[in-house]
Amino acid sequence: MSGLKNTLAPFQQWINDKEQWEDLAGYMRQESNLPGPRANLGLAESFAQLYSHSAVTEIAWDLLLVWANIAEADAGTNEPREFLPFNAVCAAGAYYGYAEEERRCVIQAMIQSAMNDSRWRMREAAAMSMQNIGEFDFSLLRQLLDTWRVDANMLEQRAFVAALAHPPLLKIQENTVYCLNLAAGIMEELLLSTGVPSDREHFRVLSKGLEYSLSVFVASEPEAGFAMLRRFAESGDARISKIVKSNLGKTRLSKKYDQQVADLLLLMGLTRG
């Protein structure tokens, strides 16, 4: 199998032949880089490319459904088998722009499930899947987010900002402004809440996502971005201040926008470091 690495032709055969699915699964597990800190994202991208067209067969579609439904009990965190549902969710996003409405609805449910998965890598798959949608057509991703954000929980909100903190999506100013507004809305919700929510783990996950993603948006649209950070820097809320400080410490802001960063830190009564 090692001779097939990074070769798409055998993959195309495997996904369209149920009798070869196990060979494909074995190869993906073998080349997953799991257990380990970083899965084989190059292989995941190559696999997703197999679904970046409109002619996905029923058999290839069924493979995504089978893999996406592999539960944690059968594919725990950092196990090689976890790479299978991870790839299925990422590939579903690559296919979304080409899919008919019925399959799009299934993909939406697939992504939402992954956003709420207890496995962190599956939550990353949800974000990457949305990035694939956004790279195909940002308006499609925006439609999804505008629908989901109304009743989104903290894990879903984290997935939104993680997906949007993706430089290829921020090349157009209108997209970046949308990202800033969505992130600001999430920050406002946190500010209006009292103390740490009862689900501390979900709050931690959301906070971690916000602690880096805001800086990506600000770096792409600094005038509006720093105005947003200033608004939250003035809040006096310890939870919000921690998020703002973390973003100000990111190199993408601290090196290029030294004075703006220093001003906001001073406003919060903080120093560098």
Side-chain angles (χ1 to χ4, degrees):
M1 290 185 188
S2 59
L4 300 177
K5 192 170 185 178
N6 298 324
T7 303
L8 295 184
F11 285 119
Q12 194 71 63
Q13 295 169 10
W14 282 342
I15 66 174
N16 285 295
D17 185 348
K18 286 188 177 182
E19 293 184 359
Q20 297 190 62
W21 281 4
E22 187 50 47
D23 289 336
L24 174 58
Y27 176 78
M28 299 297 278
R29 292 194 300 268
Q30 175 183 303
E31 301 294 336
S32 67
N33 290 347
L34 302 178
R38 188 175 178 85
N40 189 340
L41 298 183
L43 178 56
E45 182 178 356
S46 293
F47 183 80
Q49 288 175 6
L50 298 174
Y51 287 86
S52 298
H53 58 85
S54 59
V56 172
T57 67
E58 285 292 335
I59 293 176
W61 171 245
D62 286 345
L63 176 66
L64 290 190
L65 300 181
V66 170
W67 281 10
N69 286 311
I70 298 175
E72 183 176 9
D74 300 311
T77 299
N78 218 26
E79 294 178 2
R81 187 170 166 78
E82 185 191 16
F83 197 52
L84 304 184
F86 174 88
N87 274 273
V89 174
C90 291
Y95 175 48
Y96 186 84
Y98 302 95
E100 296 180 355
E101 186 61 28
E102 183 177 352
R103 287 185 178 179
R104 281 190 179 186
C105 290
V106 174
I107 294 171
Q108 290 171 25
M110 191 185 297
I111 294 173
Q112 283 192 286
S113 177
M115 285 192 286
N116 289 281
D117 201 288
S118 58
R119 295 165 290 186
W120 69 266
R121 188 168 279 111
M122 291 305 299
R123 298 197 297 269
E124 288 301 312
M128 292 171 65
S129 186
M130 288 188 280
Q131 288 169 356
N132 286 336
I133 295 172
E135 287 194 48
F136 176 84
D137 184 345
F138 191 82
S139 67
L140 283 179
L141 177 59
R142 182 170 179 166
Q143 289 169 16
L144 285 178
L145 296 180
D146 286 345
T147 300
W148 287 340
R149 64 192 290 192
V150 177
D151 299 311
N153 60 39
M154 286 183 286
L155 288 182
E156 291 166 346
Q157 290 174 334
R158 184 269 169 190
F160 300 164
V161 295
L164 293 172
H166 184 53
L169 301 181
L170 305 176
K171 294 177 180 179
I172 298 174
Q173 183 183 36
E174 181 182 357
N175 295 355
T176 305
V177 171
Y178 174 82
C179 296
L180 281 169
N181 289 336
L182 184 145
I186 294 173
M187 291 284 282
E188 290 285 359
E189 286 185 31
L190 284 179
L191 188 57
L192 291 172
S193 65
T194 304
V196 178
S198 56
D199 195 328
R200 290 178 177 269
E201 175 59 17
H202 290 185
F203 175 76
R204 183 193 68 80
V205 170
L206 172 57
S207 295
K208 286 294 184 183
L210 290 167
E211 284 172 19
Y212 78 89
S213 60
L214 299 186
S215 67
V216 181
F217 308 145
V218 174
S220 293
E221 190 62 31
E223 183 175 354
F226 276 105
M228 178 196 69
L229 289 182
R230 174 173 289 274
R231 188 164 84 249
F232 292 113
E234 294 172 338
S235 71
D237 185 289
R239 303 163 306 159
I240 299 299
S241 294
K242 180 182 178 183
I243 292 170
V244 173
K245 181 184 178 183
S246 177
N247 281 281
L248 293 176
K250 302 305 180 190
T251 303
R252 64 179 65 93
L253 297 187
S254 62
K255 292 192 89 172
K256 189 173 181 180
Y257 304 102
D258 180 78
Q259 189 58 56
Q260 293 95 321
V261 168
D263 290 346
L264 289 185
L265 288 173
L266 181 63
L267 178 64
M268 293 190 291
L270 300 171
T271 57
R272 293 182 185 277

